[in-house]
């Protein structure tokens, strides 16, 4: 009887898309094109259960990319060069940390 309980495989969520998007996000220093492509793919994904692991990671990715673009825009509009450079560097470090934290959580199967 115990063998029948464990014989059915557990339904696992396919996380390959999230891994692909984190990979694209990790390439953000390349003219921001991979991060923008990741955002486009992310936005056009069908809505999932809002509490699923994939939905949480997709939302984390969207807000990370939007935050990076907001910091870059503010840095572009800032007139002193030292302020622009500081914002760019701070935004890149912040975004890199979010990608790292999110990807590790996804690998471990945890929500953020």
């Amino acid at each position: 009887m115990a063998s029948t309980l464990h014989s059915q495989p557990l339904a696992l969520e396919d996380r390959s898309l999230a891994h692909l998007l984190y990979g694209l996000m990790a390439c953000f220093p390349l003219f921001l094109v991979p991060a923008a492509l990741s955002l486009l793919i992310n936005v056009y994904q069908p809505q999932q259960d809002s509490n699923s692991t994939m939905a949480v990671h997709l939302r984390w990715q969207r807000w990370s990319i939007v935050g990076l673009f907001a910091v870059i825009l503010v840095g572009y509009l800032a007139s002193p060069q030292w302020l622009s450079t500081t914002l760019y560097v701070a935004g890149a470090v912040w975004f890199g940390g979010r990608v790292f934290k999110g990807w590790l959580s996804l690998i471990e199967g945890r929500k953020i």
Side-chain angles (χ1 to χ4, degrees):
M1 177 117 187
S3 64
T4 60
L5 292 176
H6 298 291
S7 64
Q8 295 181 0
L10 297 173
L12 292 177
E13 203 172 18
D14 182 22
R15 295 186 227 143
S16 57
L17 176 66
H19 284 291
L20 171 71
L21 296 179
Y22 276 123
L24 286 172
M25 289 169 62
C27 298
F28 76 93
L30 303 173
F31 309 110
L32 299 174
V33 173
L37 179 62
S38 175
L39 181 62
L40 285 175
I41 293 170
N42 190 324
V43 167
Y44 288 107
Q45 287 304 305
Q47 295 296 322
Q48 300 177 1
D49 175 30
S50 63
N51 201 22
S52 70
T53 303
M54 267 297 282
V56 170
H57 279 278
L58 291 176
R59 187 170 43 249
W60 174 265
Q61 292 171 352
R62 275 192 304 271
W63 284 110
S64 298
I65 296 169
V66 168
L68 174 68
F69 287 156
V71 170
I72 288 173
L73 179 65
V74 170
Y76 179 76
L77 296 175
S79 58
Q81 181 66 36
W82 65 269
L83 182 58
S84 294
T85 304
T86 303
L87 285 170
Y88 293 151
V89 170
V93 169
W94 173 81
F95 185 74
R98 284 184 66 97
V99 170
F100 184 73
K101 179 180 178 182
W103 211 345
L104 281 180
S105 296
L106 182 67
I107 289 169
E108 294 173 353
R110 293 184 295 121
K111 296 179 186 177
I112 292 190

